[in-house]
Amino acid sequence: ATIGYGGMTPQTTWANVLVVAESLIGIVSPAVITGMVFAKFARPTPRVLFADKIITQKRDGKDVLMVRIANERGNDVVEASARITLLIDQVTREGETMRRLHDLKLVRNVQPLLVISWTLMHEIDEGSPFWGKTHEQIVKEDWRLSVSLHGHDGTVGQTIHVSRFYLTTALAFDHRYLDITKVLPDGRIQVDLTHFHDVEP
């Protein structure tokens, strides 16, 4: 943003003020644009898969709500923490409809190292909002679920956050996820993400 005065120079005060303003803009704008572009490309883009269906099935004799997630990038997500939040419309004593948030208690909500896949599990017991509820009741009451994952990307060294929102149509009672892992002859674990979203009764 050099001014480069030659044969044409400003003659009035307002013309000089205009030149100063143009010079400042010429200096500041490249710095701002560079910072915005750098921030955009330096931000980690997590590629975390969330299963299309949330299922319930028996596990050790208990009814369990399950959500499967996987790290599609193949890098490591350190100290990953997950949360499942239930959104329910409730009517107060005054007749006002409000959306209540209920955090579902997970069997395990922290994973020291998320490399392959992780199935979040919530036991449906007396303290669970799902206790005694049928699929028809949940659909009628229009329950919704929010699943979020928070962790530290070990490759770029930055915090990542990703979430998925589920409607009641995504609930599959008495189903199971198809197995996506197998052990290779050399002992490594192979993950087949082509069947990641598949469930069966």
Side-chain angles (χ1 to χ4, degrees):
T2 56
I3 297 174
Y5 286 152
M8 183 173 64
T9 59
Q11 297 296 317
T12 65
T13 301
W14 288 111
N16 281 284
V17 170
L18 178 62
V19 170
V20 171
E22 290 179 344
S23 300
L24 291 175
I25 293 173
I27 294 172
V28 174
S29 58
V32 172
I33 294 173
T34 302
M36 292 174 61
V37 172
F38 178 79
K40 178 67 176 177
F41 285 97
R43 185 183 308 161
T45 54
R47 292 175 58 188
V48 177
L49 284 177
F50 292 84
D52 291 337
K53 293 288 186 180
I54 295 180
I55 64 170
T56 64
Q57 71 174 76
K58 288 286 186 181
R59 179 63 60 93
D60 293 331
K62 299 178 181 179
D63 288 321
V64 179
L65 181 82
M66 306 175 74
V67 183
R68 183 159 68 182
I69 61 178
N71 184 8
E72 193 179 12
R73 288 184 61 184
N75 66 334
D76 55 335
V77 178
V78 184
E79 293 299 327
S81 61
R83 171 182 289 183
I84 301 180
T85 305
L86 175 64
L87 292 79
I88 306 177
D89 289 334
Q90 294 179 340
V91 180
T92 64
R93 295 180 180 179
E94 294 75 24
E96 183 180 358
T97 302
M98 298 184 65
R99 173 148 291 181
R100 301 288 187 181
L101 303 179
H102 300 273
D103 288 327
L104 301 184
K105 183 179 179 181
L106 300 179
V107 175
R108 184 179 184 86
N109 67 333
V110 177
Q111 187 81 304
L113 191 64
L114 176 59
V115 179
I116 305 174
S117 65
W118 184 14
T119 301
L120 308 178
M121 294 184 291
H122 163 70
E123 292 185 354
I124 303 177
D125 52 18
E126 291 84 351
S128 171
F130 286 86
W131 179 257
K133 291 287 186 177
T134 64
H135 193 184
E136 291 75 17
Q137 288 176 315
I138 293 175
V139 172
K140 183 178 179 180
E141 296 176 9
D142 193 24
W143 288 14
R144 305 185 181 197
L145 288 165
S146 172
V147 182
S148 60
L149 177 73
H150 183 87
H152 191 77
D153 192 310
T155 303
V156 297
Q158 294 191 34
T159 301
I160 61 171
H161 180 270
V162 63
S163 61
R164 171 76 183 266
F165 196 69
Y166 291 92
L167 301 177
T168 52
T169 53
L171 286 172
F173 279 58
D174 299 320
H175 278 66
R176 65 179 296 271
Y177 291 118
L178 294 184
D179 194 9
I180 60 172
T181 61
K182 71 176 181 179
V183 181
L184 299 177
D186 59 0
R188 292 181 301 161
I189 299 177
Q190 184 182 53
V191 180
D192 182 10
L193 294 180
T194 57
H195 299 287
F196 178 80
H197 302 284
D198 296 340
V199 298
E200 63 181 5

